[in-house]
Amino acid sequence: MEQERHVATVEDNAPLAPLTTFRLGGPATRLVTATTDEEVVAAVRAADDSGTPLLVIGGGSNLVIGDKGFDGTALHIATRGFRLDGTALELAAGENWSDAVAHTVEAGLAGVECLAGIPGSAGATPIQNVGAYGQDVSATITEVVAYDRRAGETVTLTNEECAFSYRHSRFKQHPDRFVVLRVRFALEDAGGLSAPLKYAETARALGVAPGDRVPAEAARETVLALRAGKGMVLDPTDHDTWSAGSFFTNPILTEAEHAAFLRRVRDRLGPDAAPPAFPDGDGRVKTSAAWLIDRAGFTKGYGSGPARISTKHTLALTNRGEATTEDLLALAREVRDGVRAAFGVTLVNEPVTVGVSL
């Protein structure tokens, strides 16, 4: 008897809000849920062949969907696969990222332990070059397997071909070209120890110096505690986690822009004010979006409507339970415009917007 082939599930006029961590957004004309790479490719090809707009959704942790929803096919990638061969790791795009990090730590491997607790799927990590607490996925990714919609075939891109930079990649630069299927990493066997700690807050919490190694599980647990304290670990009962994590990226300023920024800071806050500054190469300086937001007057818990700044972290904009996407965007614009008026720096949103913009 011939075995029945599994096919992706299809739903019409499907709500998308439950697929996002913001829990916001209207319905999609059609929702396809794919559980294998073949189903993903078939759904993408079907949309492209018919000229139907396509929205790819993984964990939904970096997505702001408009209240009108999406007029086209939304493809929810729900593939599963965790394969560890020595220090080589391969993840299916739909794998839960935080769970995958936990499994690598359990295996005694280092390289992604400080990326614990980041919500979303593995397939999204190379797109945004996800990073936190001194680690970025670009440091351990070796290859990304993706469907190239332009070529109509599955391709394997090396780390260099991914063109990673701060919260950016080739995938983000060409959002309508590649659909990530699998991500491969090279981790480190350091005898159960973490990679050298790069982030001062993490090292301080562990009572060690930057550059030291600690048990990988201790690093993971410390990061989870730090993230939870900022409302950055998903909890359905905590509206501070109904967010996309950091809503704005940290600004990177040229030498001239940084000098002008410092003048604005001292005019506003006094001659001794010293905003965070981190060298970023070629004379550029990265500063802190959270610092800018707070010093511009948008403190924790700011807002009186259904969308407010988190009570735990100024960089997170949150849905307090009854918000619409327009409520969220109104708050985001207020924060962006207020920071620009105060310091001459324009913040850029980190989440991807669908059908709306700042």
Side-chain angles (χ1 to χ4, degrees):
M1 181 177 178
E2 186 178 343
Q3 187 175 10
E4 183 180 355
R5 191 175 72 86
H6 185 266
V7 294
T9 59
V10 180
E11 184 180 353
D12 293 328
N13 195 34
L16 296 181
L19 298 179
T20 75
T21 53
F22 265 124
R23 295 167 172 79
L24 294 176
T29 306
R30 188 167 182 259
L31 173 64
V32 177
T33 301
T35 57
T36 68
D37 291 354
E38 292 74 21
E39 290 172 9
V40 172
V41 171
V44 175
R45 281 180 171 159
D48 289 347
D49 289 348
S50 63
T52 303
L54 179 70
L55 170 63
V56 178
I57 302 176
S61 61
N62 201 46
L63 201 56
V64 178
I65 299 173
D67 293 317
K68 293 182 179 179
F70 183 70
D71 185 11
T73 296
L75 170 60
H76 182 210
I77 297 181
T79 54
R80 293 292 180 266
F82 178 100
R83 187 165 66 88
L84 196 57
D85 183 6
T87 57
L89 171 67
E90 181 181 276
L91 298 176
E95 272 293 316
N96 179 283
W97 172 252
S98 190
D99 290 348
V101 170
H103 294 326
T104 68
V105 171
E106 289 167 9
L109 299 178
V112 293
E113 62 280 358
C114 291
L115 301 177
I118 294 176
S121 62
T125 61
I127 298 171
Q128 193 74 6
N129 186 15
V130 163
Y133 295 94
Q135 291 183 341
D136 297 287
V137 291
S138 58
T140 50
I141 287 176
T142 56
E143 294 178 331
V144 175
V145 180
Y147 178 68
D148 184 344
R149 297 169 68 184
R150 184 184 301 174
E153 62 184 14
T154 298
V155 297
T156 300
L157 288 80
T158 65
N159 181 291
E160 185 177 0
E161 289 171 331
C162 292
F164 290 121
S165 60
Y166 174 65
R167 302 296 168 267
H168 202 67
S169 68
R170 185 177 181 184
F171 310 106
K172 191 171 180 181
Q173 183 180 1
H174 303 287
D176 296 326
R177 179 170 178 182
F178 297 101
V179 177
V180 175
L181 301 173
R182 302 197 162 259
V183 189
R184 295 172 181 152
F185 302 81
L187 303 177
E188 178 189 9
D189 184 351
L193 296 179
S194 68
L197 298 173
K198 295 182 179 180
Y199 202 69
E201 184 183 15
T202 314
R204 191 163 53 245
L206 284 157
V208 299
D212 286 352
R213 294 178 185 263
V214 297
E217 181 57 36
R220 175 180 171 271
E221 289 177 354
T222 297
V223 166
L224 285 172
L226 290 171
R227 291 185 65 87
K230 300 173 183 177
M232 297 289 187
V233 177
L234 291 181
D235 178 351
T237 66
D238 182 359
H239 285 289
D240 276 330
T241 74
W242 290 32
S243 75
S246 299
F247 194 87
F248 297 103
T249 58
N250 289 324
I252 298 175
L253 308 175
T254 65
E255 194 170 350
E257 289 169 342
H258 187 240
F261 165 60
L262 289 179
R263 288 193 294 270
R264 296 283 288 265
V265 168
R266 287 160 188 163
D267 287 345
R268 181 181 178 90
L269 303 176
D272 297 328
F278 308 95
D280 197 64
D282 298 325
R284 297 174 304 179
V285 176
K286 183 193 297 181
T287 190
S288 165
W291 187 94
L292 288 166
I293 292 167
D294 182 74
R295 299 313 190 278
F298 303 101
T299 52
K300 295 174 184 176
Y302 178 88
S304 58
R308 302 178 200 172
I309 290 178
S310 166
T311 65
K312 300 182 179 74
H313 191 22
T314 53
L315 202 47
L317 308 187
T318 67
N319 169 12
R320 308 315 294 184
E322 301 296 332
T324 65
T325 301
E326 277 307 310
D327 292 327
L328 175 75
L329 293 176
L331 176 62
R333 292 176 188 126
E334 183 184 0
V335 171
R336 178 199 61 190
D337 295 348
V339 167
R340 183 166 53 206
F343 299 113
V345 174
T346 301
L347 296 178
V348 176
N349 54 289
E350 186 167 332
V352 175
T353 55
V354 177
V356 290
S357 66
L358 251 63

